[in-house]
Amino acid sequence: MIHPDRIRHYHGAPPISGKGRYVCYWMQQAQRVEDNHALCFAIEKANELKLPLKVAFVLTPDFPEANLRHYRFMLDGIADVQRLLAQKGIPFVLETGDMTASILALARQAAWVVTDAGYLRIQRQWREAVAKKLTCAFTIVESDCMVPVAAAYPKEAVGARVLRSKIMKKLDVYLDLVVLPEYWMKNATLSNAAHTVDTSPPIQPEKLAARAAAIKTVSPVADFAGGESAAAERLKQFVSAALSDYGILARDPVAQCRSDLSAHLHFGQISPVAVVHAVRESDAPEAAKAAFIEQVVVRRELAVNFVYYNTGYDRYDGAVPAWARQTLTDHQKDRRPYLYGPEALERAETHDPYWNAAQMEMVITGRMHNYMRMYWGKKIIEWSPSPEAAFEIMLALNNRYEIDGRDPNGFTGVAWCFGRHDRPWAERPVFGKIRYMNAAGLERKFKISRYVERIRRLGNNI
Ligand SMILES: Cc1cc2nc3c(=O)[nH]c(=O)nc-3n(C[C@H](O)[C@H](O)[C@H](O)COP(=O)(O)OP(=O)(O)OC[C@H]3O[C@@H](n4cnc5c(N)ncnc54)[C@H](O)[C@@H]3O)c2cc1C
């Protein structure tokens, strides 16, 4: 059963007007069939109303900062969705164009429109714009957080400590795994349900991405496929092969003990509820499970809390806390031994082999190890002429090259480098009171030259 806190009705729902020829699930954030609370809700409504269901996805060519790399990964997933829905007898419509106009057109004869929840500004604007103009019932079902964001905490959390205690207490309440009901029209024949049958050709992710992406300068990552089948396989592999060591090795960039689920989570190709279930059910040590749940639930949902309640999450003066801006301003005139502009950073042309390796890991693989992301961000602050310039280039590079970029986690990770969700530390040049990281720390903690060597080999192979 779907927890009621996941469901938010707009006008007209329930009860429903009695008009309309179908139920429309506007799939946007939760780009999957399995473990999708919004899809489940939409099937339930179609069954109750004895109306056909149509699932619609709109491809917007101008999503902010999205490039070919992102479109390709996403469309791998949409091809999966099309295939899996077809197996369930549910028709799927893919449109390209303006989001709001396309959804309003697709929903013109709908009795009920259901969608999932998204947390970024543009996702919320789309939903508000659709809600304003729709005349039928409209419901948002939140499926991409373990604990629905407003139920977790009613305001911006200052740090993980505050949110952790709230979320962990509620975790069991929201472990509502979805069991998709059988769709009542599944076995309808072509003649009596012609208007509901999906006759569109199979999606070809490569071709469609090349057509849809306005920015084509960043190429797709060859050996890292998107989609819910790939995500499920990755989760299975991680739980069976690496989770047991996560508590000890997750911080080490050499060990590569990580799930690689962030891009799938970003595109909603896997449900966090399903991830938590799989982790809890595994026979890994409890400490390892707790360490992973800290990241995938507490840290990830702290990021959602941040972008949900802080409207300035992508601006220096909104994302960076006042104490951190003050201390960085106090140190604005400090001598900076190294200064690099955006081009040198993008091409990984700094004096620091560890930083260059991290940058290249991101450019080549579309991913970067979590610990190296922190180091990478801190160094950009150290080597930029101003903190504002550092913020801008850090976010731009992150969002350009990371497959999981443009995510609440990305905006929050960048803000964290500038002191968000952190505390003041001992004062030092350039950084003031914000936390500092250095190469000696990498050398002391890890066999970091092995990381550099691995990335160098990757670079040689392209
Ligand atoms: C400067 C900077 C930029 C970042 N940019 C992004 C980004 O664009 N997109 C993104 O998804 N993450 C970002 N992160 C957070 C984190 O680095 C990635 O989520 C993680 O490295 C993804 O790899 P994984 O899935 O193998 O993680 P795992 O270690 O396997 O962790 C499992 C999941 O937990 C969550 N998680 C792990 N670490 C964090 C964290 N620090 N904050 C929030 N959630 C976390 C992610 O959803 C991740 O998939 C950034 C962090 C920093 C410091």
Side-chain angles (χ1 to χ4, degrees), residues 415-428:
W416 176 87
C417 292
F418 290 84
R420 175 65 63 186
H421 300 149
D422 205 358
R423 64 173 171 85
W425 293 72
E427 198 154 0
R428 58 178 306 120

Side-chain angles (χ1 to χ4, degrees), residues 62-131:
D62 53 356
F63 192 98
E65 298 180 277
N67 59 49
L68 187 58
R69 175 171 288 185
H70 305 118
Y71 277 94
R72 175 59 201 275
F73 190 85
M74 180 174 80
L75 286 166
D76 283 349
I78 296 302
D80 247 9
V81 165
Q82 184 191 43
R83 187 176 53 78
L84 293 167
L85 284 176
Q87 284 169 10
K88 294 185 184 300
I90 300 175
F92 176 68
V93 183
L94 177 75
E95 291 268 331
T96 303
D98 174 75
M99 183 63 82
T100 312
S102 303
I103 290 302
L104 289 172
L106 284 162
R108 201 164 289 136
Q109 292 184 302
W112 200 319
V113 175
V114 177
T115 192
D116 38 51
Y119 306 101
L120 297 181
R121 186 179 305 114
I122 186 167
Q123 296 178 293
R124 292 169 71 185
Q125 284 169 346
W126 282 335
R127 285 158 181 77
E128 289 301 323
V130 167

Side-chain angles (χ1 to χ4, degrees), residues 246 258-262 265 292 295-296 299-300 368 370 373-374 398 404-405 407 409-410 413-414 417:
Y246 192 84
R258 65 192 203 189
S259 69
D260 263 338
L261 286 176
S262 56
L265 285 162
F292 188 74
Q295 298 302 325
V296 82
R299 292 284 162 183
R300 181 170 178 272
M368 191 197 296
N370 183 39
R373 293 199 207 206
M374 298 188 241
N398 186 84
D404 64 22
D407 187 88
N409 276 354
V414 168
C417 292

Side-chain angles (χ1 to χ4, degrees), residues 6 34 49 101 217 291 295 324 362 403 428 431:
R6 297 196 184 278
E34 295 304 323
L49 298 166
T217 44
Q295 298 302 325
M362 176 173 75
I403 310 175
R428 58 178 306 120
F431 285 81

